[in-house]
């Protein structure tokens, strides 16, 4: 009688499992020193460097001056894996507010922001719709959804945001005309949307120009951040949706400047 022994994890399996655990730890903390990671996982500093190099190549984390970082800076946006877990209740409230502008029969453009992804579970209530996006995550989530015709934009694929960008993407967008564009931004400075990468700025500007109505989703954290490249003034949007906890000073200032601000209230069950 043969007894089967449990399979021993291979070196590759152990490495992948460890890298997943490291990425989750850094994302939970925002940033960790390399020495902290080595101590926590009982591995050498050299092994930590190798793991972080691979995670950085995949766009999940950044390694700089002995620190692994998941959160964004003025020069680098955080990965979609990190951003998707932040401000979830606020993003859901803003998405529900944005759904008020979606009508059956429309062609709508959704950018690569994690805020717009909260619209996806609600789109079935407004079908038929044509959804245009450069985001692989959105393409996968909407694949096969009844009543949704999808146009996927190609180009160069960027791991950190799970999206296609570049000249090919911009050229494809320029040949389309949509009814509605819903987007978010990395930072708001002087009532202007900013982003860390020029590729993202180019794509979002092209999407903006291709839509007849434009809606911006901006939770309160956007007003506390900075990014390098100016993208679009808030006043150019038809609606700027903010969450209910946004500082009243920002809301009053925007409205005084003629910005159409909509405050997204969280559903009673989520409060």
């Amino acid at each position: 009688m043969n007894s089967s022994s449990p399979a021993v994890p291979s070196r590759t399996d152990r490495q992948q499992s460890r890298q997943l655990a490291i990425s989750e730890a850094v994302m939970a903390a925002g940033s960790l020193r390399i020495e902290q990671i080595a101590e926590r996982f009982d591995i050498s500093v050299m092994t930590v460097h190798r793991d972080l190099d691979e995670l950085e190549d995949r766009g999940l984390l950044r390694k700089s001056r002995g620190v692994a970082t998941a959160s964004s800076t003025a020069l680098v946006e955080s990965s979609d894996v990190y951003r998707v877990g932040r401000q979830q209740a606020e993003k859901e409230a803003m998405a529900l507010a944005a759904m008020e502008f979606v009508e059956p029969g429309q062609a709508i453009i959704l950018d690569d922001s994690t805020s717009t992804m909260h619209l996806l579970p609600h789109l079935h209530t407004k079908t038929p719709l044509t959804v245009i996006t450069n985001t692989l995550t959105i393409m996968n989530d909407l694949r096969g959804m009844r009543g949704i015709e999808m146009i996927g934009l190609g180009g160069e694929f960027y791991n950190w945001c799970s999206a296609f960008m570049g000249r090919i993407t911009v050229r494809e967008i320029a040949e389309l005309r949509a009814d509605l564009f819903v987007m978010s931004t990395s930072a708001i400075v002087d009532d202007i949307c900013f982003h860390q990468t020029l590729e993202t700025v180019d794509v979002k500007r092209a999407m903006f120009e291709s839509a007849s109505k434009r809606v911006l989703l901006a939770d309160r954290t956007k007003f506390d951040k900075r990014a390098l490249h100016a993208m679009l003034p808030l006043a150019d949007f038809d609606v700027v949706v903010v969450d209910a906890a946004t500082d009243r000073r920002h809301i009053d200032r925007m409205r005084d400047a003629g910005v159409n601000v909509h405050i997204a209230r969280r559903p009673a069950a989520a409060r």
Side-chain angles (χ1 to χ4, degrees):
M1 181 176 179
N2 295 328
S3 59
S4 59
S5 57
V8 178
S10 68
R11 181 176 180 276
T12 300
D13 290 338
R14 293 196 302 272
Q15 182 185 47
Q16 290 176 345
S17 177
R18 184 180 66 246
Q19 289 179 357
L20 175 61
I22 289 173
S23 64
E24 289 176 344
V26 175
M27 288 179 188
S31 64
L32 286 173
R33 295 196 62 79
I34 287 175
E35 292 81 3
Q36 291 177 291
I37 298 173
E39 182 178 355
R40 178 179 296 193
F41 293 95
D42 194 23
I43 54 178
S44 69
V45 169
M46 185 176 296
T47 299
V48 176
H49 277 288
R50 285 199 298 265
D51 284 345
L52 291 178
D53 286 341
E54 292 192 24
L55 291 168
E56 188 171 40
D57 288 342
R58 288 155 56 190
L60 295 175
L61 305 174
R62 296 185 307 283
K63 185 181 72 172
S64 177
R65 299 179 181 179
V67 177
T69 306
S71 55
S72 62
T73 69
L75 298 178
V76 183
E77 173 64 301
S78 55
S79 73
D80 61 327
V81 178
Y82 174 73
R83 287 180 283 122
V84 75
R86 276 16 190 204
Q87 288 78 48
Q88 291 194 60
E90 292 83 352
K91 291 174 182 177
E92 178 66 15
M94 293 189 300
L96 288 172
M99 283 299 300
E100 297 178 13
F101 303 96
V102 179
E103 297 294 340
Q106 286 184 332
I108 65 174
I109 304 177
L110 301 179
D111 74 347
D112 64 348
S113 65
T114 56
S115 295
T116 60
M117 291 179 192
H118 282 259
L119 275 76
L120 304 187
H122 307 289
L123 292 179
H124 69 94
T125 65
K126 298 292 183 76
T127 55
L129 291 170
T130 296
V131 176
I132 304 163
T133 186
N134 65 324
T135 311
L136 184 59
T137 308
I138 293 178
M139 295 178 197
N140 287 331
D141 285 354
L142 292 183
R143 184 177 56 188
M145 183 178 289
R146 189 172 182 177
I148 300 287
E149 180 179 341
M150 185 165 53
I151 297 177
L153 301 167
E156 183 178 355
F157 185 71
Y158 286 72
N159 269 318
W160 65 266
C161 58
S162 187
F164 298 92
M165 295 188 287
R167 292 175 62 184
I168 295 174
T169 316
V170 171
R171 186 164 63 243
E172 289 183 0
I173 297 168
E175 296 179 355
L176 301 171
R177 293 295 179 270
D179 299 293
L180 177 69
F181 173 38
V182 183
M183 64 166 276
S184 188
T185 186
S186 292
I188 296 174
V189 184
D190 299 328
D191 290 342
I192 299 172
C193 295
F194 276 74
H195 204 279
Q196 294 90 340
T197 66
L198 279 174
E199 294 87 353
T200 304
V201 170
D202 291 342
V203 167
K204 294 196 184 193
R205 281 178 176 168
M207 290 175 166
F208 185 94
E209 294 298 330
S210 293
S212 59
K213 178 171 286 188
R214 301 94 167 206
V215 176
L216 175 69
L217 309 182
D219 68 73
R220 63 185 180 279
T221 67
K222 309 301 183 184
F223 296 91
D224 300 323
K225 296 178 180 178
R226 299 184 70 83
L228 185 60
H229 303 289
M231 189 161 43
L232 295 159
L234 299 186
D236 287 358
F237 288 88
D238 294 278
V239 184
V240 174
V241 181
V242 299
D243 70 83
T246 301
D247 194 315
R248 191 73 204 187
R249 293 175 301 170
H250 295 311
I251 296 172
D252 292 342
R253 183 191 67 254
M254 289 188 290
R255 285 178 171 167
D256 288 344
V259 178
N260 181 16
V261 180
H262 179 97
I263 303 173
R265 306 292 180 184
R266 293 170 62 180
R271 290 176 185 169

